[in-house]
Amino acid sequence: MLFKDISIIDENLNIKNNMYVGVAEGKIEYVGEEKPQKNYGEEYDGRKKLLSPGFVNLHTHSPMTLLRGYAENLPLDRWLNDRVFPFEDQLNCDRAYYGTMLSIAEMLSSGTTSFTDMYFFGDGVMKAVIESGAKTNFGRSIVSFADEDIFKNDRFREGVYLTEKYHNTENGRIKIDMSLHAEYTNMPSIIQQFGEYTRGRGQINHIHLSETKSEHDACKEKYGKTPARLFYDAGIMDSPAIFAHCVWVEDSDIDLFVEKGATVAHCPASNLKLGSGVCNTYKLLEKGVNIGIGTDSAASNNGLDIMREMYLAAILPKGMCNRADIVTPRDVFKMATINGYKAQGRADCGVIKEGFKADLIVMNLNTPNMYPDFDIFNNIIYSADKSNVILTMVDGKVLYKNGEFMTVDVEKIGYEVSRLVRQVKSEVKGND
Amino acid sequence: MLFKDISIIDENLNIKNNMYVGVAEGKIEYVGEEKPQKNYGEEYDGRKKLLSPGFVNLHTHSPMTLLRGYAENLPLDRWLNDRVFPFEDQLNCDRAYYGTMLSIAEMLSSGTTSFTDMYFFGDGVMKAVIESGAKTNFGRSIVSFADEDIFKNDRFREGVYLTEKYHNTENGRIKIDMSLHAEYTNMPSIIQQFGEYTRGRGQINHIHLSETKSEHDACKEKYGKTPARLFYDAGIMDSPAIFAHCVWVEDSDIDLFVEKGATVAHCPASNLKLGSGVCNTYKLLEKGVNIGIGTDSAASNNGLDIMREMYLAAILPKGMCNRADIVTPRDVFKMATINGYKAQGRADCGVIKEGFKADLIVMNLNTPNMYPDFDIFNNIIYSADKSNVILTMVDGKVLYKNGEFMTVDVEKIGYEVSRLVRQVKSEVKGND
């Protein structure tokens, strides 16, 4: 495929107009001002359009889209215990598959080309990822309140099983991360063993961290240290690590992230909606932490729209710090592209440059919200929304174009999801 | 036009399925479960769609869309003085017309059926409003640093002229408000005379209030009272009043709003983006203040997407107050519909009920982000976005449908806006 006469965002985050970008075998093969000699077959008319690296949703739980709107107006602990957990008890791989397909459709339509997922029913999620062509890092999260040998823990074993079966398959499109759900859902001995097991393996550790004040404070009470310090001491940051939320992290925690190169997955909408608070990304940015952006699940957002999330990531710190000059559109764009891919262990993604993977989106610049065009970057972050995304390509394959999905039958998925959630609801009621 | 087999939001904010809604002569003539006898001509297939009252954007400056992306990363005072004012010095009625047309297109495409505007070049704005079919309350804002007779002030006189020429024209579609820009941009004698002039006339007073901390504190320093108290004492709240922003209002100010029935136009995005702060709408709601929602201008938002604004209005207070149970989707929906219309003096709008004006939108429920449908209200506020809006009708006329604008030539407007902002930019440079 050849994108012609198109504006692009180059590797230095500058806009170049009237460019040609050739894609072959999943990669960007040509970027230039001249039309290439080679015949790429399909040509895409790029006038009044922008070619951008696709976005990374760095923290979500894709099957949980089944719970969209099911648990509302509740704080995190009651949201989890009273509503989410009983519903999840009724899920299985088949149901998780449908939830994930629905999530993938929503993410593709809003410009997400890769997402980092933490959940269970890995085979169901993997089935959806393989079928849909989505790019995914998946971690099976461990929850254990038993002082047990981690190798006897089913969830840990599932993570090992998924790694053997799926890690780096589909030409690297799928990666399996290792995942602890959180400090407050695991015994210290599990955390210790998790750190020992993962050290040196090169897989990514994906963990919830200091999402709520009560959770953060309770950890300090229990262990005399913050959750971040606890994970650091257990060697968990010796592997590449993604910590989701980090609303209540302290200065000394941030220093640990910097020392070890850990990434923060910032989830502004979920943190607001559940009443958890606001992560101080300005401070993280100043200290040099790698920040990515996540939607969290549709059960607490309630969408998977990375563009809405980028907007929040851009305007929230300004309001919180009463400073209009902090966290620029380019900062936010980096979070959602290069930083996210880096955290996923995908150094060959996120930049429009020869040799990089063709994870690309096209934005329509010819809509009322994109005029005038003083600064395209401002417009992308502050004015554009998912309706500007008119094409989404992963590994060189077009998966979404002009409202149509090439690999997801949304009519069928919508029908099946409606059917199965009614069934789950009646089962949950039966268990009350 | 007859909407058939459609879900609707009724006057009690309940969802009713498989309904028929007949529209004739600008009004809702029939609402019922049975197909009406009368032949309405065009029939609209409403399956998997929702008919909702359209939304009110209660505070914007529509010609300022010309400045989208022109003044970035600056706090309010520098944003205004260094960038906005010099640009605005080069505007005229013709240029304001194009900016307003662009704004109207963006607002229609995101479900706004009525907006309250505060700006100048009233004839240019009115030309766009008349042509496009948009519903508008427009106020010519007064700025005066002279201790003068208000009747000698050109801006005040323009407000009087606009009132005589346009107020309640186009079958009531256009209303002219009276407007003071703000406390900090007017002499006390002007504020006093404005209160005296407007008292008892029945027009709406539209004013910026306590947007920034510095402005609020400076007023107290100068006059020994808050801006709200100053306006109260000048009799400005004796008329129906809309106060935009109110980020820094105090408890005693809120009591004045309650006593006089004044409305707060909450503009969460602009307040965040300019680093002004966050209005405590939870407190306002608890005390019983009428709250509407505004985008402010595209120069400080940078969009005019009322659905994005509703989302912010729903999740921000939860994060600020660390409480997930406050400001419900129904609260926010009311702000953007009934409350907004009430503040505009339009008691016959904002409800799907026989006899009300047909200011309606249709939302597509058959998109990935709208499944499952545990609670349609949750989905509208937390999951839907402007891409779900597929039809916008004002006074019974379809102005937007499936991406097409019936009254705005967006190709032409986009071209003209691009051309004229380049010209303005060169003129501003020439003046430096």
Side-chain angles (χ1 to χ4, degrees):
Chain A
M1 188 159 179
L2 180 70
F3 296 95
K4 59 175 194 175
D5 286 333
I6 201 159
S7 298
I8 71 163
I9 297 175
D10 76 3
E11 57 183 312
N12 302 313
L13 303 193
N14 291 318
I15 307 287
K16 283 186 178 160
N17 296 319
N18 306 312
M19 296 292 287
Y20 290 83
V21 177
V23 170
E25 295 182 6
K27 291 186 177 176
I28 298 165
E29 197 184 62
Y30 175 84
V31 181
E33 290 173 20
E34 304 296 322
K35 188 167 180 177
Q37 298 292 319
K38 178 176 166 179
N39 182 359
Y40 279 91
E42 190 185 348
E43 296 192 351
Y44 184 91
D45 180 359
R47 284 173 299 169
K48 297 192 181 178
K49 300 189 181 80
L50 175 77
L51 190 70
S52 164
F55 303 123
V56 179
N57 185 351
L58 200 61
H59 179 70
T60 189
H61 313 281
S62 59
M64 288 184 80
T65 301
L66 297 175
L67 285 89
R68 188 189 335 253
Y70 178 68
E72 293 297 325
N73 306 317
L74 297 170
L76 187 68
D77 56 339
R78 289 189 52 210
W79 178 83
L80 270 177
N81 295 307
D82 297 354
R83 302 290 287 172
V84 173
F85 289 156
F87 191 100
E88 288 181 330
D89 283 344
Q90 304 305 323
L91 295 184
N92 55 38
C93 270
D94 188 52
R95 290 170 173 180
Y97 159 80
Y98 285 109
T100 305
M101 285 298 266
L102 183 63
S103 296
I104 287 171
E106 190 181 347
M107 287 194 272
L108 291 173
S109 71
S110 41
T112 294
T113 44
S114 187
F115 64 98
T116 286
D117 211 19
M118 179 204 286
Y119 208 62
F120 22 113
F121 306 116
D123 282 316
V125 173
M126 286 297 104
K127 182 169 178 244
V129 169
I130 291 167
E131 265 184 44
S132 65
K135 187 167 280 188
T136 312
N137 281 38
F138 180 80
R140 199 300 177 215
S141 54
I142 301 170
V143 173
S144 174
F145 297 102
D147 205 2
E148 63 189 347
D149 178 354
I150 199 168
F151 286 92
K152 291 188 176 152
N153 179 290
D154 285 346
R155 296 159 196 219
F156 171 79
R157 290 157 67 101
E158 193 185 331
V160 174
Y161 153 78
L162 292 168
T163 302
E164 285 166 2
K165 188 165 175 189
Y166 299 107
H167 190 45
N168 283 325
T169 59
E170 299 285 314
N171 198 26
R173 183 161 63 79
I174 296 174
K175 290 183 184 291
I176 301 296
D177 296 341
M178 294 305 288
S179 175
L180 278 180
H181 176 267
E183 169 275 319
Y184 65 95
T185 45
N186 281 287
M187 293 292 280
S189 62
I190 293 288
I191 293 169
Q192 195 62 37
Q193 291 175 79
F194 183 85
E196 281 160 22
Y197 176 81
T198 55
R199 187 183 288 120
R201 288 189 177 260
Q203 274 176 282
I204 288 147
N205 291 337
H206 183 195
I207 305 174
H208 291 121
L209 187 93
S210 298
E211 180 174 0
T212 65
K213 186 166 194 309
S214 59
E215 153 210 343
H216 183 82
D217 290 347
C219 176
K220 287 169 77 176
E221 180 89 2
K222 222 174 354 177
Y223 301 115
K225 51 177 122 170
T226 64
R229 182 84 216 181
L230 190 77
F231 290 138
Y232 177 94
D233 288 348
I236 284 171
M237 294 191 203
D238 296 337
S239 300
I242 298 172
F243 294 112
H245 304 300
C246 298
V247 175
W248 296 95
V249 291
E250 303 177 17
D251 286 359
S252 56
D253 297 335
I254 300 173
D255 294 338
L256 302 178
F257 299 160
V258 174
E259 180 194 329
K260 294 294 187 179
T263 293
V264 169
H266 175 45
C267 305
S270 174
N271 296 154
L272 288 171
K273 186 163 181 291
L274 293 177
S276 306
V278 179
C279 171
N280 190 340
T281 50
Y282 173 55
K283 191 185 272 184
L284 293 170
L285 212 57
E286 285 288 288
K287 290 209 173 196
V289 176
N290 189 54
I291 308 174
I293 298 177
T295 58
D296 208 355
S297 83
S300 66
N301 184 300
N302 289 350
L304 301 174
D305 178 353
I306 192 71
M307 295 200 66
R308 186 166 78 173
E309 213 70 31
M310 287 159 71
Y311 181 66
L312 274 173
I315 65 170
L316 258 185
K318 297 175 174 67
M320 293 302 103
C321 302
N322 293 123
R323 283 187 54 180
D325 62 337
I326 60 171
V327 189
T328 67
R330 278 179 172 76
D331 289 335
V332 172
F333 188 84
K334 276 180 68 179
M335 292 180 197
T337 56
I338 309 164
N339 296 9
Y341 276 117
K342 182 182 165 197
Q344 288 190 320
R346 300 180 184 277
D348 56 351
C349 297
V351 181
I352 299 184
K353 192 177 172 181
E354 288 162 12
F356 276 67
K357 296 273 178 127
D359 288 5
L360 300 167
I361 62 171
V362 175
M363 286 198 202
N364 185 3
L365 302 180
N366 192 28
T367 55
N369 61 327
M370 299 301 273
Y371 285 98
D373 62 348
F374 286 116
D375 183 333
I376 295 275
F377 256 96
N378 270 301
N379 284 0
I380 292 172
I381 301 295
Y382 295 131
S383 318
D385 55 75
K386 76 183 220 205
S387 68
N388 290 96
V389 177
I390 53 174
L391 184 146
T392 304
M393 169 186 275
V394 176
D395 281 356
K397 282 189 191 136
V398 176
L399 303 183
Y400 174 79
K401 190 175 172 185
N402 300 331
E404 300 294 321
F405 299 88
M406 280 63 196
T407 53
V408 183
D409 181 345
V410 285
E411 283 291 332
K412 179 169 176 262
I413 298 295
Y415 172 82
E416 292 292 345
V417 163
S418 300
R419 190 187 53 78
L420 85 84
V421 296
R422 274 195 301 275
Q423 209 171 319
V424 172
K425 224 173 143 180
S426 72
E427 290 164 7
V428 170
K429 225 170 194 164
N431 288 348
D432 274 350
Chain B
M1 186 159 180
L2 179 70
F3 296 94
K4 57 175 195 177
D5 286 334
I6 202 159
S7 298
I8 71 163
I9 297 175
D10 76 4
E11 58 183 311
N12 303 313
L13 303 192
N14 291 318
I15 307 286
K16 283 186 178 162
N17 296 319
N18 306 313
M19 296 292 286
Y20 290 83
V21 176
V23 170
E25 295 182 5
K27 291 188 177 174
I28 298 166
E29 197 183 62
Y30 175 84
V31 181
E33 291 172 19
E34 304 296 320
K35 188 167 180 178
Q37 298 292 320
K38 177 176 166 180
N39 182 0
Y40 279 92
E42 191 185 348
E43 296 193 349
Y44 184 90
D45 180 358
R47 283 172 300 168
K48 297 191 181 178
K49 300 188 181 83
L50 176 77
L51 190 70
S52 164
F55 303 123
V56 179
N57 185 352
L58 200 60
H59 180 69
T60 188
H61 313 281
S62 60
M64 287 185 81
T65 301
L66 297 174
L67 286 88
R68 185 182 348 247
Y70 177 68
E72 293 297 324
N73 305 318
L74 297 170
L76 186 69
D77 56 339
R78 289 191 50 212
W79 177 85
L80 270 176
N81 294 309
D82 298 354
R83 301 290 286 174
V84 173
F85 289 156
F87 190 101
E88 287 181 331
D89 283 346
Q90 305 305 323
L91 296 184
N92 55 39
C93 271
D94 188 52
R95 290 170 172 179
Y97 160 80
Y98 285 109
T100 304
M101 285 299 264
L102 183 63
S103 296
I104 287 172
E106 190 180 348
M107 287 194 271
L108 291 174
S109 71
S110 41
T112 293
T113 43
S114 187
F115 64 98
T116 285
D117 210 19
M118 178 204 286
Y119 208 62
F120 22 112
F121 306 117
D123 282 315
V125 173
M126 286 298 105
K127 181 170 178 245
V129 169
I130 291 167
E131 264 184 44
S132 65
K135 189 167 280 187
T136 311
N137 282 38
F138 179 81
R140 199 299 177 214
S141 54
I142 300 170
V143 173
S144 173
F145 296 102
D147 204 3
E148 64 189 346
D149 178 353
I150 199 168
F151 287 91
K152 291 187 177 153
N153 180 289
D154 285 345
R155 296 159 196 219
F156 171 78
R157 289 156 66 101
E158 191 185 334
V160 174
Y161 152 77
L162 293 168
T163 301
E164 285 166 2
K165 187 164 176 191
Y166 299 107
H167 190 46
N168 283 325
T169 59
E170 299 285 312
N171 198 26
R173 183 160 63 78
I174 296 174
K175 289 184 185 290
I176 301 297
D177 296 341
M178 293 305 286
S179 175
L180 277 180
H181 177 268
E183 170 276 318
Y184 64 95
T185 44
N186 281 286
M187 293 293 279
S189 63
I190 292 288
I191 295 169
Q192 194 64 37
Q193 291 175 81
F194 183 85
E196 281 160 22
Y197 176 81
T198 56
R199 188 183 287 119
R201 286 187 179 261
Q203 273 176 283
I204 288 147
N205 291 337
H206 183 196
I207 305 174
H208 291 120
L209 187 92
S210 298
E211 180 174 0
T212 65
K213 186 166 193 311
S214 60
E215 155 210 342
H216 183 81
D217 290 348
C219 177
K220 287 169 76 176
E221 180 89 2
K222 222 173 357 177
Y223 302 113
K225 50 177 125 171
T226 63
R229 183 83 217 183
L230 190 76
F231 290 136
Y232 177 93
D233 288 347
I236 284 171
M237 294 191 204
D238 296 337
S239 300
I242 297 172
F243 294 112
H245 304 299
C246 299
V247 176
W248 296 95
V249 292
E250 303 178 18
D251 285 359
S252 56
D253 296 335
I254 300 173
D255 294 338
L256 303 179
F257 299 159
V258 174
E259 180 194 330
K260 294 293 187 179
T263 292
V264 169
H266 175 45
C267 305
S270 174
N271 296 154
L272 288 171
K273 185 163 181 291
L274 293 176
S276 307
V278 179
C279 171
N280 189 340
T281 50
Y282 173 55
K283 190 185 272 186
L284 293 170
L285 213 55
E286 285 288 288
K287 290 208 173 197
V289 176
N290 188 56
I291 308 174
I293 298 176
T295 59
D296 207 354
S297 84
S300 65
N301 185 300
N302 288 348
L304 300 175
D305 179 353
I306 192 72
M307 296 200 65
R308 185 165 80 174
E309 212 71 31
M310 287 160 71
Y311 181 66
L312 274 173
I315 66 171
L316 258 184
K318 297 176 174 66
M320 293 303 102
C321 302
N322 293 123
R323 283 187 55 179
D325 62 336
I326 59 171
V327 188
T328 66
R330 277 178 173 76
D331 289 335
V332 172
F333 188 85
K334 276 180 67 179
M335 291 178 197
T337 55
I338 309 165
N339 296 8
Y341 276 118
K342 183 183 163 194
Q344 288 191 320
R346 300 180 184 277
D348 56 350
C349 298
V351 180
I352 299 184
K353 194 178 172 181
E354 288 162 13
F356 276 67
K357 296 274 177 126
D359 288 5
L360 300 167
I361 62 171
V362 176
M363 286 197 202
N364 185 3
L365 302 179
N366 191 29
T367 55
N369 62 328
M370 297 303 271
Y371 284 97
D373 62 349
F374 286 116
D375 183 333
I376 296 275
F377 256 95
N378 270 299
N379 285 1
I380 292 172
I381 301 295
Y382 294 131
S383 319
D385 56 76
K386 75 183 222 206
S387 67
N388 290 96
V389 176
I390 52 175
L391 184 146
T392 303
M393 170 185 274
V394 176
D395 281 356
K397 282 190 191 135
V398 176
L399 303 183
Y400 174 78
K401 191 175 172 185
N402 301 329
E404 301 294 321
F405 299 87
M406 279 63 196
T407 53
V408 183
D409 181 344
V410 284
E411 283 291 333
K412 179 169 177 264
I413 298 294
Y415 172 81
E416 292 291 345
V417 163
S418 299
R419 190 186 55 76
L420 85 85
V421 296
R422 275 196 300 276
Q423 208 171 320
V424 172
K425 225 174 141 180
S426 72
E427 291 164 6
V428 170
K429 224 169 193 166
N431 288 348
D432 273 350

